Amino acid sequence: MAAADAGYDAREISAAWAVSAEPVRGRGSNAKAIVMVIGYFVGVFVVASILSASPETSILGLPAIGVGLLGAIFAWLTLRDSNPPLAEAFRIAVIVLVVLPLILALVGLGICVVLLVGFRQGFQ
């Protein structure tokens, strides 16, 4: 060992290792966080589906999804320091759940425009 060869005793070496050793995050913590976030959003959509299925509570389906999204944003912001992998998983989920519907809407709009132009040219 280079530290022992340099003249440090075992007590000093172990003290240096104790101060400098940091926990290493592995793939397991990230995978667990992603599974937890997927479970969270599946739960949110199950609750929204149950609320939407009943005529008395059908108006509460969309607000339930909004509350779930706000809960995910809150979890992302509050877990940044205490559980970074879980906070990162919530951040990615929030971005996907906001951006994906916009992309799908734009694709649908593009398909409608192409079909409309094609039908208009076909009828002339």
Side-chain angles (χ1 to χ4, degrees), residues 92-112:
I92 292 169
V94 167
I95 291 170
V96 167
L97 288 173
V98 170
V99 171
L100 189 63
L102 294 175
I103 291 172
L104 293 175
L106 289 174
V107 168
L109 179 65
I111 290 171
C112 290

Side-chain angles (χ1 to χ4, degrees), residues 50-60:
I50 291 170
L51 290 173
S52 297
S54 174
E56 296 85 20
T57 60
S58 63
I59 197 165
L60 298 175

Side-chain angles (χ1 to χ4, degrees), residues 6 10 16 27 32 44-45 59 65-66 81 93-95 97-98 113 115 118:
R27 291 180 178 254
K32 183 179 176 184
V44 167
F45 285 115
I59 197 165
I65 293 174
D81 294 329
V94 167
I95 291 170
L97 288 173
V98 170
V113 168
L115 289 175

Side-chain angles (χ1 to χ4, degrees), residues 33-34 36-41 45 68-69 72-73 76 85-101:
I34 290 170
M36 289 173 65
V37 170
I38 290 171
Y40 173 79
F41 279 108
F45 285 115
L69 189 59
I73 293 170
W76 163 29
L86 188 57
E88 181 68 14
F90 271 112
R91 183 185 73 84
I92 292 169
V94 167
I95 291 170
V96 167
L97 288 173
V98 170
V99 171
L100 189 63

